[in-house]
Amino acid sequence: MSESITYQYARPSQLRQAGGNEQLFLSQYSEIAKPEASCFFWGRLNEAFITARCLLTLSKIVQSSFNLSPFQLAMLKDPIVTAGNKTLRFEGFSHCAGVYGRVDVLAAAQDGEFPAAGTTNVDFNAPMLNALARIRPKQSVVLSVGEKEVSLEQEGQKVIERKVPLPTKWIKGLTTVQIFLAQTEPFFRFNRVQAQQLFRSLPKGNPKQDYYLSQRGSRPLFSPMKQAKAVCVGGVHRLRLLEPLLPLAQSLEVYAQPEMQATTWVLSFGAVRFTMSLSRETWRGFSGEGAALESLVADVPQTWIERLDQYSYANQTFNPTLLAIDENLNEAQLSQLTGRLAAMGLLGFDLHDNAYFYRRLPFKLDRILRLNPRMKNAEKLVAEGKVEIVARSAAKIEARVAGTDVKHTVIIEAERARCTCTWFSRHQGERGPCKHILAVKKLLNG
């Protein structure tokens, strides 16, 4: 399978100057069939300066890597934008997919119209970034997301957008990071002064060991010493990406996944928020995690997915309670459907709302489902009859799965599963289940 999806925008993005105001138009790309919409959003940004600074920081995340070569670094510069439910969301990953960033522009930060809900990939080339950097406080900027006559014109110069490749690891990362976000719990909330104090305790260089965030009295700090009730942060130097935003932020909130496999940092600017999630290891991005695999074990009827897609597209939001009522789904079915949709990348997660939001990815769903080789291998094991249930009770299931010259033993007890294979011995479930556990669960759900 190709490691990237190459496409050509129909036309470039543009930044125009008219009557002393700057108008930003973002080009649309999609390979899915939806009713044609010339525009997802058009209107004025009330917080243009803050939004511009957040988008510049997001672009730094997208252009960063913490484990890739200079050649790989030159590949990608494009965030993803979702418009709907009176909110604009810009998302992106570092090249290594270990850092996820999102800019949420809420209703109070913009004054415009949403003719249609949609998600598109956005071109942020160098002239666009330079133009964003020139935006000043209280400056009027008009933003349009969708298909327009596009070019980048400023001071008589016109910039045309280039053809870009989109790595599949971005799509895989989108499916995994949202599941981690839904699992995270709040740990700390700091004001602007405390946040700046905390970042002054960041170690120099690129430390290899984990650091721990704790609070002594009112003062937060990072330390290499493990402490009770502290947040474990791997690759803590990656947080320096947030430093330009600290003087402008009202507060910093810190969340962590229960096993500390990911931490999330949310800067609030009132009606604009910046969210950044870090994977535990700098060398292991969200795209390589297996958090989404459990949600893909049980088969969900395609009709459910299609109904949810149409329901959310029409309502520009995801309300599981109303969906359950409309489609007569019970709690178990709804949980199953929500998990699968998140695993497919159709749902993002908003920590402040503590709820999923609908994101219509500009990619075919079958492409997303093909991105999990462990699940494909598990289905193959089941299809070839290599899975045997040897004991089954209400409390415990034991199975044998045929491998290469060996049979692996899988034991499932309540929510815990383990396997005798090398993969499970190495990762102990921290990177999701192995293909043998997945195969047993797939057989049981069949």
Side-chain angles (χ1 to χ4, degrees):
M1 180 188 299
S2 172
E3 289 301 319
S4 64
I5 303 167
T6 302
Y7 56 83
Q8 178 72 51
Y9 287 104
R11 49 183 67 89
S13 297
Q14 69 173 4
L15 182 70
R16 290 179 174 177
Q17 289 185 337
N21 296 332
E22 292 185 324
Q23 297 181 341
L24 176 63
F25 298 91
L26 303 177
S27 183
Q28 175 188 4
Y29 173 81
S30 175
E31 64 176 29
I32 59 174
K34 272 291 179 184
E36 289 295 327
S38 60
C39 185
F40 294 147
F41 170 82
W42 187 91
R44 191 181 308 278
L45 292 178
N46 299 330
E47 299 288 348
F49 176 71
I50 292 296
T51 301
R53 290 304 178 270
C54 288
L55 291 177
L56 288 169
T57 300
L58 182 63
S59 74
K60 290 180 181 178
I61 291 177
V62 173
Q63 296 177 55
S64 298
S65 176
F66 299 91
N67 69 352
L68 298 184
S69 68
F71 172 77
Q72 292 169 309
L73 276 173
M75 290 186 63
L76 185 66
K77 297 180 181 179
D78 286 9
I80 295 169
V81 57
T82 297
N85 198 27
K86 300 187 183 302
T87 301
L88 296 168
R89 302 182 192 269
F90 297 81
E91 301 174 271
F93 284 90
S94 60
H95 288 267
C96 53
V99 182
Y100 164 79
R102 190 177 78 229
V103 180
D104 295 331
V105 184
L106 308 180
Q110 28 85 7
D111 182 16
E113 299 180 358
F114 291 82
T119 302
T120 184
N121 215 53
V122 182
D123 176 45
F124 273 11
N125 47 43
M128 180 78 73
L129 297 176
N130 291 336
L132 289 171
R134 290 195 296 271
I135 295 176
R136 295 293 176 258
K138 301 186 183 303
Q139 186 172 355
S140 178
V141 174
V142 173
L143 176 69
S144 176
V145 180
E147 284 189 329
K148 297 284 183 177
E149 180 185 1
V150 286
S151 63
L152 184 61
E153 298 182 10
Q154 191 175 30
E155 297 178 353
Q157 295 184 341
K158 183 176 182 180
V159 179
I160 304 299
E161 180 182 280
R162 298 182 303 166
K163 178 180 179 181
V164 295
L166 182 63
T168 56
K169 66 168 55 180
W170 267 45
I171 310 173
K172 294 177 67 177
L174 282 173
T175 67
T176 299
V177 75
Q178 312 304 330
I179 294 175
F180 277 149
L181 284 171
Q183 297 172 350
T184 60
E185 301 172 355
F187 272 77
F188 299 104
R189 187 180 191 280
F190 306 122
N191 60 32
R192 181 184 303 163
V193 174
Q194 289 174 311
Q196 291 176 317
Q197 286 179 334
L198 172 63
F199 274 66
R200 282 197 287 269
S201 70
L202 279 172
K204 296 181 179 179
N206 301 332
K208 301 297 182 182
Q209 76 272 35
D210 291 336
Y211 267 70
Y212 296 86
L213 167 60
S214 60
Q215 189 169 358
R216 295 177 183 174
S218 62
R219 183 177 180 182
L221 74 160
F222 291 110
S223 170
M225 304 298 294
K226 187 175 182 179
Q227 302 177 47
K229 298 181 179 180
V231 171
C232 179
V233 186
V236 69
H237 57 285
R238 295 175 291 177
L239 287 172
R240 294 196 187 100
L241 290 164
L242 292 178
E243 285 182 325
L245 295 177
L246 293 178
L248 303 171
Q250 298 174 3
S251 64
L252 168 65
E253 294 173 275
V254 183
Y255 300 76
Q257 191 254 359
E259 285 79 32
M260 299 292 172
Q261 294 304 306
T263 58
T264 300
W265 311 72
V266 182
L267 289 172
S268 177
F269 307 87
V272 178
R273 291 197 297 261
F274 191 96
T275 299
M276 187 170 81
S277 293
L278 305 179
S279 63
R280 174 70 173 273
E281 308 288 352
T282 57
W283 52 269
R284 193 172 82 203
F286 288 108
S287 61
E289 297 293 350
L293 292 174
E294 290 281 4
S295 300
L296 297 175
V297 169
D299 289 326
V300 174
Q302 184 65 25
T303 55
W304 288 8
I305 296 175
E306 292 173 354
R307 289 172 187 170
L308 181 279
D309 185 33
Q310 295 299 327
Y311 173 89
S312 297
Y313 183 82
N315 292 280
Q316 301 185 19
T317 186
F318 175 74
N319 188 316
T321 303
L322 292 179
L323 177 65
I325 294 173
D326 290 347
E327 299 299 332
N328 195 28
L329 302 177
N330 60 39
E331 184 176 347
Q333 290 172 322
L334 183 62
S335 176
Q336 186 181 7
L337 176 60
T338 301
R340 190 173 182 88
L341 291 167
M344 294 167 64
L346 292 179
L347 298 180
F349 194 81
D350 190 306
L351 287 170
H352 271 256
D353 294 341
N354 193 32
Y356 286 99
F357 63 86
Y358 175 73
R359 181 208 295 114
R360 181 57 175 171
L361 284 179
F363 308 101
K364 297 175 182 177
L365 301 188
D366 59 351
R367 185 193 297 279
I368 299 171
L369 294 176
R370 292 198 305 266
L371 298 178
N372 293 283
R374 261 183 278 168
M375 180 58 70
K376 290 169 59 179
N377 290 335
E379 291 176 345
K380 183 178 179 181
L381 288 172
V382 174
E384 294 177 351
K386 294 183 177 181
V387 183
E388 178 188 4
I389 306 297
V390 297
R392 183 171 185 174
S393 67
K396 180 179 177 180
I397 295 171
E398 183 175 345
R400 302 282 187 273
V401 182
T404 305
D405 301 324
V406 66
K407 280 195 173 183
H408 303 287
T409 299
V410 173
I411 296 177
I412 301 176
E413 296 176 288
E415 298 298 322
R416 184 184 179 193
R418 56 190 190 276
C419 181
T420 56
C421 72
T422 304
W423 170 273
F424 186 85
S425 299
R426 183 185 303 125
H427 301 292
Q428 295 295 311
E430 288 187 351
R431 296 189 64 183
C434 65
K435 63 182 179 181
H436 310 107
I437 293 175
L438 288 170
V440 174
K441 291 186 174 183
K442 191 76 177 176
L443 181 64
L444 292 172
N445 279 278

